[in-house]
Amino acid sequence: MGQAAPVLWDSVRVVVDESGETGQFILTGSATPNIESTMHAGTGRMARFLMRPMSLFESLDSTGSVSLKKLFEGKGVAGSRSKLDIRNIAFLTCRGGWPQSVGKKETSALLIADQYVKSVYNQDIHKVDGSSKDPLRVQQFLKSYAKNVQTLAKNVKILEDMLPNDLGITTPTMYNVT
């Protein structure tokens, strides 16, 4: 939020400077902040944290009986069976773990995920490096990447998926998605 409201950012800085207290504010914002609108970096006053979507355990959609952390630490876990059917697992996968989608009706929750992805290829992708990217090409890339992410497909497969809709794309273009 600070990057979109520099006045708020500055107000927080003043209060922190005057009180000397820690942990007074939690500001949330984009992963790609608008640096030009921020009046100061917040160094010494603010800490940045990487926030991730909620896990199924955090959203209360899983019992947490199997812990990936324990598995990666080499600790054994007891066998467990999910009470979710395949349809619910697919829904939860598509819904994602954004707090605003948890607890919503299926249609609303999926709309939130859909709008999030559209925002990435229509707006956020341009903010990363300031270069112009064609939203349709980025969308085509994301669809192919999602389809191939857990396969042994090579990058050329993604390019092949994109070609029918864009005869001008080349391998270097694919890496820049311009």
Side-chain angles (χ1 to χ4, degrees), residues 48-69:
R48 288 172 174 76
F49 297 94
L50 175 62
M51 296 179 70
R52 300 200 183 274
M54 296 169 70
S55 69
L56 292 178
F57 180 66
E58 292 169 316
S59 67
L60 305 178
D61 292 301
S62 166
T63 63
S65 60
V66 175
S67 165
L68 290 177
K69 180 181 179 191

Side-chain angles (χ1 to χ4, degrees), residues 159-171:
L159 183 61
E160 288 170 3
D161 288 348
M162 295 173 70
L163 281 174
N165 298 313
D166 190 342
L167 299 176
I169 196 163
T170 63
T171 303

Side-chain angles (χ1 to χ4, degrees), residues 98-162:
W98 295 285
Q100 68 270 27
S101 67
V102 173
K104 296 273 194 270
K105 290 185 179 178
E106 191 170 300
T107 306
S108 297
L110 294 176
L111 181 61
I112 289 169
D114 178 67
Q115 292 301 306
Y116 180 84
V117 172
K118 283 180 181 175
S119 176
V120 168
Y121 65 73
N122 282 320
Q123 297 154 358
D124 290 350
I125 195 106
H126 305 293
K127 296 176 187 174
V128 173
D129 63 2
S131 66
S132 178
K133 308 251 187 310
D134 180 346
L136 181 57
R137 284 184 175 175
V138 176
Q139 180 186 25
Q140 291 170 329
F141 170 80
L142 290 174
K143 281 182 179 180
S144 181
Y145 183 75
K147 180 176 80 173
N148 292 294
V149 74
Q150 288 296 325
T151 71
L152 298 175
K154 297 185 179 202
N155 289 343
V156 237
K157 176 61 182 147
I158 295 173
L159 183 61
E160 288 170 3
D161 288 348
M162 295 173 70

Side-chain angles (χ1 to χ4, degrees), residues 9-68:
W9 189 264
D10 282 339
S11 297
V12 167
R13 177 183 56 97
V14 169
V15 171
V16 169
D17 285 349
E18 288 175 354
S19 72
E21 304 271 333
T22 59
Q24 299 176 79
F25 300 95
I26 297 176
L27 304 176
T28 62
S30 172
T32 53
N34 180 357
I35 300 301
E36 289 109 31
S37 71
T38 304
M39 302 306 290
H40 67 89
T43 304
R45 299 174 185 97
M46 299 178 191
R48 288 172 174 76
F49 297 94
L50 175 62
M51 296 179 70
R52 300 200 183 274
M54 296 169 70
S55 69
L56 292 178
F57 180 66
E58 292 169 316
S59 67
L60 305 178
D61 292 301
S62 166
T63 63
S65 60
V66 175
S67 165
L68 290 177

